[in-house]
Amino acid sequence: MRFMMKALELNQILELISSYAKSDTIRNEIINLEPMTEVQSIRHALDETMDMTTLIIRAGVLPFLEDYDIHELLRYASLDRIYSIQELLYVRLFLLMERDIIKYFRELERLKISAMSLSHYVQNLHTHHSLLDYIQSKIDEDGQILDDATPVLLKIRRDKSKLDKQLQDKLQKFLTDHSTYLNELVIVQRNDRFCIPVKDAYKNKIKGVIHDVSSSKQTVYIEPEATRQITAQIEQLKIEEEKEIQKIIALLSEEVHRAHESLKDNLDVFLGLDFISSKAQYAIKLNANKPSINETGRISLIKAKHPLLDQSIAVPITLELNQNVKTLLITGPNTGGKTVALKTVGLLTLMTQCGLMIPASEASDIAIFDQVFADIGDEQSILQSLSTFSSHLNKIISMIENVKDNTLILLDELGSGTDPNEGVSLAIAILNAFKPYDLRMMVTTHYSELKSYAYEQPNMTTASVAFDKKTLKPLYYLQMGTTGSSHAFLIARRLGLKEEVVQDAETIYQGRQTDLAKVMEKLNDEMLYIEKQKENLADEISENRKAKTEFQQSKEKLLADQDKMIEKVRIKEEKALDALKDEVREIIIELQKKNEVSKPELAAIKYKLNQKVDNQKLVSFDDELVVGDSVFILPYQQYGIIKSIKNDDYRIIFGKFDLVFKSYDLRKEIEKKEPKKAEKHERVNIGSTPEKSGKFELDLRGYRFEEVKEAMDQAIDSAILSGLETMRIIHGFGSGAVRKAVYDYIKSSPYIKTHRFGGDGEGLNGVTIITLK
C-alpha cells in the first residue's frame, strides 16, 4: 500500500514508456518499475535520463536492434553447447549492434558531446572485432557457410561443382541421344535424383532406376545408369561437406564460448542503456524536464501538466506545498479540473521517484515521500456489495492505520456519498486524524464548511479551479489562496432551468448562507481581482525583460559589427603602410648614394621607418584642426604646433624639426606637453644624473660586439629627434667587449659631444654617460 500507483495511473505511463524498449527484458522491467525513496538513487536516475535526452536530441537514438537480448544463448555458452547456424546469426547481429553502439559513442567524443552520468556504461564496454570478423569470415548474412570458410570446404565444393557440371552435361547428351523415347526434353528431380521423363512404352529401352511414375501412367521417371556413378560421387561429397560444416560451426561456437563473459558484460550495459533510452525518448515526446528534488516535503509545481492529457491543449497548473502550508483544499465546480490537479501532483511525484522526467517547468521542485496514498474516483464494488461511500471509507481507514511522517495523501471529494451534515463532520474528523503527522495533503470538496475549516487552520490553505462566469466554462487552472463556488445556479440557468426556479433557489441559499460565508465570498472576489492584477503585472515584467534582452542583443551586435569594421580598416591601413614602407626603403637606398644628404635627415627617415604600427592611427577621427593648435604627432609620438594648413597637408613645428603631416597622423584631444628645451653647455655637469627612461637609456647587456653599432645608431637617432641632450649607455663590466664597441662608436660618431663613466649611483664603470651635440 506504500504507493497507490494504479489509482494515480502510473501503470499507464509505464506501459507507454515500455513501448520504446527494444528487448522483452527491459519492457518487463519498465512495466514493473516502482518508485524509489533513496534520494541519491533518484537523483542519479534523473541525471541519466536527462543526459540521455541530450544525446538523443544531438546525436540520435542509440542503434539498438529489435530483440537483441541474447541472454539465453550466453547461458548455453556456459554449458559448452554447440550453437545452430540460426543462433550464430543472432550472435553476429548482436556483435554488429555492439560495433555500431561503440561507433556512436566515439562520434559523441569527436563532437565533444558530454554525458557524465552515462560515462561508466561506455567505460565498461568490451570490443569483439576479432570475433565478429571471424564469424563473418565463415557465415554470410543469410546463414550460408562461405566456400572459403576452410580450405577443405573450398576443395569439396569445387569438386562438387565440377561433378554437377559433368552430370548436367551427361544428362543433356542423354536427352539428345534418346529424344524419341522421351515425352519431354527436360531434366526433373525425383527422390533427390536427376531423372528423365521416358514414355511408358519405351521404359525398357532405357537402362537405369525408376524413381517415379506420372499419375496418367504414361510417363516413367528414370535415373539413367550412365549418371548414377557421378551422382554417387556427388552424394559422398555432400556428406563430407556436411561434416566440414559441422566442424566450422563447432569452431564458431567455441569462439563464442571463450568470449561469453565479456559478451554478457556488454549485454548488461546495453540493457541498462535501453532502459534509460526508453525513459528519455518518452521524455522527449512529452517535452518533459528534470525537476529538482528535496527531502523537506516541499512540492513546488510550476506549469505542470498531466502526462496522459494532450500536451498541446492541456492547461498547466502551478501550486506549492511546504513546511508552512502542509494541506491544500481545492474547491470549484464539477469537471473544473480538481481531480486532474490531484492526479497531476500524485502522478508527477511517483514519476520523479521512478527516475522519470516530468511535464513541468525545470524550476519545479518535488519532495521525495516514503508513502503516497490516494483516494480518487468512484471505485464502487458490486461483488463486495460496497457503496461509493463505503469504498472511499475503506481506503481512508487503511490510510489512517498506515499513515506516518513524510507521506503524501490525496483525497477526492472527502465526505461525499452520504448525508451532507454527517459527511462534513466526518471529513473534518478525518483531516484532524492526519494533523499529528508531518505529511502533505491535498483535498477536493464542495462543502462550504470545509472552506471555513481551512481558514481556521494554521498550516492549511485553499485553492479553486478557475471558472469563466460569462461563458460558464471551466478554465482548468488553479487559483491559489481562493475558495471557489460550485456555480450551480449559473450552470442551471445556462442549461435552461426555469428562471423562477433558479431565483427561488438563490433566495433560499441566501437565507441559509452565514455571515462568515458572505464575508468569505467577498474576500474571495477581491483576491481573484488581486490575482488578475498580479498576472497582468507579471506579463508586463516579462515583456520588459524580453525587451531588455533584445536591446542587449542589439547592443552586442552593434559592438561586434563595430569591432569587425575597425579590424577591416586596420588590415587595410596596415597593407597601405607596408606598401609605403617598401617605397620609402627604396628612397633611403637612393639617398644613401648621394653625398649631399645630411646625416640628420637620414636619421629622421630611418627613425620613421622603424616605428611599429600603432592601431590608434589606423582609425580616422574628425578633429577640427586650425593654425596654432597644439597636436600630438602619432608617427613621432611628439607634440607640436600647427604653423600652416594646405588642403590635408599640415605643417608642424616640433623640437628642431619642421615637417608636413596628414590629418590622420594628428590628434588634437591629447593634452599638450611642452618639450624639454635644449640648452647648450660649455662643459658637462658631472654631478647631474640623467633621467632614466626608455628614451634616455640604452641597455646593451647581453649584446654581442657586432650588434652594438646598430643599437647605438637607432638610440642616437631617436634621441636627436626627441631633442635630448644626454643618454645613459649601460654596457656592464664583463669582458669589456661591449664597452670597447661603445667607445669605438663614440670616437667615430659626429653627434656625440662628450662622454664619461657613470658616477656614484649611476653605475660607475659599467655605464657611460654621453652628451649629444
Side-chain angles (χ1 to χ4, degrees), residues 127 129 250 323 433 505 571 621 708 770:
T127 57
H129 297 307
Q323 195 64 34
I571 293 171
F621 293 89
V708 171
I770 64 173

mmCIF file of all heavy atoms in Angstrom, residues 127 129 250 323 433 505 571 621 708 770:
data_model
loop_
_atom_site.group_PDB
_atom_site.id
_atom_site.type_symbol
_atom_site.label_atom_id
_atom_site.label_comp_id
_atom_site.label_asym_id
_atom_site.label_seq_id
_atom_site.Cartn_x
_atom_site.Cartn_y
_atom_site.Cartn_z
ATOM 1 N N THR A 127 35.245 -4.710 -26.648
ATOM 2 C CA THR A 127 35.165 -4.792 -28.117
ATOM 3 C C THR A 127 35.412 -6.236 -28.551
ATOM 4 O O THR A 127 36.231 -6.942 -27.952
ATOM 5 C CB THR A 127 36.201 -3.875 -28.774
ATOM 6 O OG1 THR A 127 37.509 -4.218 -28.309
ATOM 7 C CG2 THR A 127 35.905 -2.414 -28.449
ATOM 8 N N HIS A 129 35.906 -7.129 -32.063
ATOM 9 C CA HIS A 129 36.126 -7.019 -33.514
ATOM 10 C C HIS A 129 36.617 -8.340 -34.102
ATOM 11 O O HIS A 129 36.161 -8.758 -35.172
ATOM 12 C CB HIS A 129 37.149 -5.918 -33.813
ATOM 13 C CG HIS A 129 36.693 -4.560 -33.402
ATOM 14 N ND1 HIS A 129 35.487 -4.026 -33.797
ATOM 15 C CD2 HIS A 129 37.291 -3.603 -32.632
ATOM 16 C CE1 HIS A 129 35.348 -2.813 -33.295
ATOM 17 N NE2 HIS A 129 36.421 -2.539 -32.569
ATOM 18 N N ALA A 250 31.210 -25.870 -34.939
ATOM 19 C CA ALA A 250 31.797 -26.175 -33.631
ATOM 20 C C ALA A 250 32.898 -25.174 -33.288
ATOM 21 O O ALA A 250 33.006 -24.710 -32.139
ATOM 22 C CB ALA A 250 32.343 -27.598 -33.618
ATOM 23 N N GLN A 323 6.586 23.399 4.368
ATOM 24 C CA GLN A 323 6.515 23.226 5.819
ATOM 25 C C GLN A 323 5.467 24.131 6.446
ATOM 26 O O GLN A 323 4.873 23.805 7.465
ATOM 27 C CB GLN A 323 7.897 23.515 6.430
ATOM 28 C CG GLN A 323 8.064 23.027 7.852
ATOM 29 C CD GLN A 323 7.980 21.514 7.976
ATOM 30 O OE1 GLN A 323 8.408 20.791 7.084
ATOM 31 N NE2 GLN A 323 7.400 21.024 9.068
ATOM 32 N N ALA A 433 -7.486 13.695 12.098
ATOM 33 C CA ALA A 433 -6.736 12.459 12.384
ATOM 34 C C ALA A 433 -5.343 12.500 11.757
ATOM 35 O O ALA A 433 -4.410 11.857 12.262
ATOM 36 C CB ALA A 433 -7.515 11.250 11.872
ATOM 37 N N ALA A 505 -34.247 29.284 -5.727
ATOM 38 C CA ALA A 505 -33.102 28.593 -5.137
ATOM 39 C C ALA A 505 -32.102 29.602 -4.566
ATOM 40 O O ALA A 505 -31.534 29.397 -3.481
ATOM 41 C CB ALA A 505 -32.433 27.704 -6.177
ATOM 42 N N ILE A 571 43.376 46.325 -41.068
ATOM 43 C CA ILE A 571 44.062 45.467 -42.048
ATOM 44 C C ILE A 571 44.356 46.243 -43.330
ATOM 45 O O ILE A 571 45.457 46.164 -43.896
ATOM 46 C CB ILE A 571 43.205 44.224 -42.346
ATOM 47 C CG1 ILE A 571 43.127 43.338 -41.100
ATOM 48 C CG2 ILE A 571 43.785 43.432 -43.508
ATOM 49 C CD1 ILE A 571 42.145 42.199 -41.217
ATOM 50 N N PHE A 621 39.720 60.079 -37.162
ATOM 51 C CA PHE A 621 38.859 60.880 -36.302
ATOM 52 C C PHE A 621 38.624 62.235 -36.960
ATOM 53 O O PHE A 621 39.515 62.781 -37.624
ATOM 54 C CB PHE A 621 39.488 61.074 -34.920
ATOM 55 C CG PHE A 621 39.590 59.815 -34.131
ATOM 56 C CD1 PHE A 621 40.701 58.993 -34.235
ATOM 57 C CD2 PHE A 621 38.560 59.425 -33.287
ATOM 58 C CE1 PHE A 621 40.780 57.823 -33.516
ATOM 59 C CE2 PHE A 621 38.636 58.253 -32.564
ATOM 60 C CZ PHE A 621 39.745 57.461 -32.673
ATOM 61 N N VAL A 708 76.332 46.052 -31.390
ATOM 62 C CA VAL A 708 76.308 47.322 -30.660
ATOM 63 C C VAL A 708 76.090 48.504 -31.597
ATOM 64 O O VAL A 708 75.308 49.414 -31.307
ATOM 65 C CB VAL A 708 77.608 47.492 -29.847
ATOM 66 C CG1 VAL A 708 77.708 48.906 -29.262
ATOM 67 C CG2 VAL A 708 77.680 46.461 -28.737
ATOM 68 N N ILE A 770 76.738 59.958 -22.153
ATOM 69 C CA ILE A 770 77.165 60.733 -23.332
ATOM 70 C C ILE A 770 76.329 61.985 -23.422
ATOM 71 O O ILE A 770 75.179 62.028 -23.001
ATOM 72 C CB ILE A 770 77.049 59.910 -24.628
ATOM 73 C CG1 ILE A 770 75.591 59.555 -24.908
ATOM 74 C CG2 ILE A 770 77.920 58.664 -24.569
ATOM 75 C CD1 ILE A 770 75.392 58.885 -26.264
#
